[in-house]
């Protein structure tokens, strides 16, 4: 077994908040009186980091409403429905499988840390993770610096780690710390978006066990 550490993204990788994220953006567009709405295909083709770029692709006008105002409204609306989202199918099975292999598992996310802790606590899976790392705010900035600090603090050899996520940004984070990555084309970005980079891509989380057999 090459790897000793598995670092998970959370939103869109383990936690299936894709639909509530679409619904939240559509609600925000309604509240701010924009005519456009997102469907799943459009959302997965334009969602990106940093989130400010995604907002521009949606067509939000920062001259009418500041990014900070819109970001806070999104968080307020998202918070109302976040507890309705579930884990992706097979998440518990995969976490248990990695645990049986003796792999150390952690979560590194741009989700605000108290929100992240709350979402994970909904599913009673905390014991699978050695570390859960979130951010200090809700603005979903780059997590590359967070990951690099975490690797340095734990003196981890990146050759022994793999980062598993669902976006191009997760691939970029893995590149930044020097570890391998696996992307799951079942989250916030489509396979077409992910396919533009040189990454290992699987269709759903249950497929990941084949890589580790």
């Amino acid at each position: 077994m090459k790897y000793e550490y598995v670092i998970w993204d959370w939103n869109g990788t383990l936690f299936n908040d894709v639909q509530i994220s679409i619904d939240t953006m559509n609600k925000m567009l309604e509240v701010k009186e924009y005519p456009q709405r997102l469907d799943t295909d459009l959302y997965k083709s334009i969602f990106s980091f940093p989130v400010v770029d995604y907002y521009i692709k949606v067509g939000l006008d920062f001259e009418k409403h500041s990014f900070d105002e819109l970001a806070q409204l999104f968080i307020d609306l998202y918070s109302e429905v976040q507890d309705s989202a579930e884990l992706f199918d097979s998440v518990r099975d995969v976490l248990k499988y990695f645990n049986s292999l003796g792999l150390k598992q952690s979560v590194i996310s741009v989700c605000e840390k108290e929100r992240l802790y709350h979402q994970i606590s909904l599913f009673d899976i905390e014991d699978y993770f050695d570390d859960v790392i979130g951010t200090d705010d809700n603005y979903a900035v780059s997590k590359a610096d967070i990951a690099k600090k975490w690797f340095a603090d734990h003196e981890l050899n990146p050759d022994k780690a793999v980062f598993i996520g669902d976006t191009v940004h997760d691939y970029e984070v893995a590149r930044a710390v020097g570890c391998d990555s696996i992307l799951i084309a079942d989250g916030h970005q489509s396979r077409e978006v992910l396919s533009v980079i040189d990454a290992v891509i699987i269709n759903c989380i249950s497929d990941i066990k084949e890589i580790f057999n």
Side-chain angles (χ1 to χ4, degrees):
M1 171 61 67
K2 175 182 179 181
Y3 303 119
E4 296 177 4
Y5 302 91
V6 173
I7 299 93
W8 292 100
D9 172 55
W10 175 246
N11 303 88
T13 301
L14 298 175
F15 183 56
N16 187 1
D17 65 343
V18 175
Q19 188 58 53
I20 66 168
S21 296
I22 297 169
D23 294 342
T24 298
M25 177 55 75
N26 284 335
K27 180 65 175 178
M28 188 165 81
L29 290 169
E30 177 185 348
V31 169
K32 292 303 185 182
E33 299 182 338
Y34 284 86
Q36 68 268 36
R37 298 292 184 269
L38 304 184
D39 59 22
T40 302
D41 289 343
L42 176 58
Y43 173 77
K44 291 190 174 191
S45 70
I46 66 173
F47 180 79
S48 59
F49 289 100
V51 169
V52 63
D53 293 343
Y54 161 56
Y55 279 23
I56 291 170
K57 293 174 186 176
V58 170
L60 295 167
D61 186 348
F62 297 147
E63 292 186 1
K64 292 181 179 179
H65 309 98
S66 71
F67 170 72
D68 287 354
E69 176 188 350
L70 293 170
Q72 187 58 56
L73 176 57
F74 183 92
I75 289 299
D76 291 343
L77 295 172
Y78 178 96
S79 298
E80 294 176 1
V81 296
Q82 66 175 346
D83 289 5
S84 66
E86 298 286 346
L87 297 176
F88 282 96
D89 292 343
S90 301
V91 163
R92 284 187 176 85
D93 180 50
V94 170
L95 295 177
K96 183 177 180 180
Y97 176 68
F98 282 172
N99 189 57
S100 73
L101 295 178
L103 298 173
K104 294 182 179 180
Q105 303 181 75
S106 296
V107 172
I108 297 180
S109 172
V110 293
C111 185
E112 188 275 326
K113 58 188 176 184
E114 294 304 323
R115 181 182 306 281
L116 178 61
Y117 301 155
H118 167 75
Q119 291 177 349
I120 290 176
S121 73
L122 296 174
F123 306 104
D124 193 27
I125 56 174
E126 300 96 319
D127 289 347
Y128 287 109
F129 305 122
D130 293 290
D131 249 332
V132 174
I133 309 299
T135 63
D136 292 325
D137 58 51
N138 284 302
Y139 294 103
V141 295
S142 170
K143 59 188 165 194
D145 289 342
I146 301 170
K148 286 190 285 188
K149 182 179 186 303
W150 186 80
F151 269 74
D153 288 347
H154 291 78
E155 299 181 341
L156 297 186
N157 179 354
D159 291 337
K160 297 293 186 179
V162 60
F163 196 104
I164 304 174
D166 69 306
T167 67
V168 171
H169 185 54
D170 292 317
Y171 169 79
E172 293 168 344
V173 171
R175 288 284 297 268
V177 299
C179 72
D180 290 342
S181 62
I182 299 169
L183 300 182
I184 305 172
D186 197 25
H188 289 281
Q189 290 185 324
S190 67
R191 176 174 277 275
E192 287 72 22
V193 171
L194 300 178
S195 294
V196 302
I197 57 176
D198 181 22
V200 175
I201 302 172
I202 58 176
N203 291 322
C204 59
I205 193 169
S206 61
D207 293 343
I208 209 164
K209 293 170 68 173
E210 296 179 10
I211 297 175
F212 287 79
N213 282 333

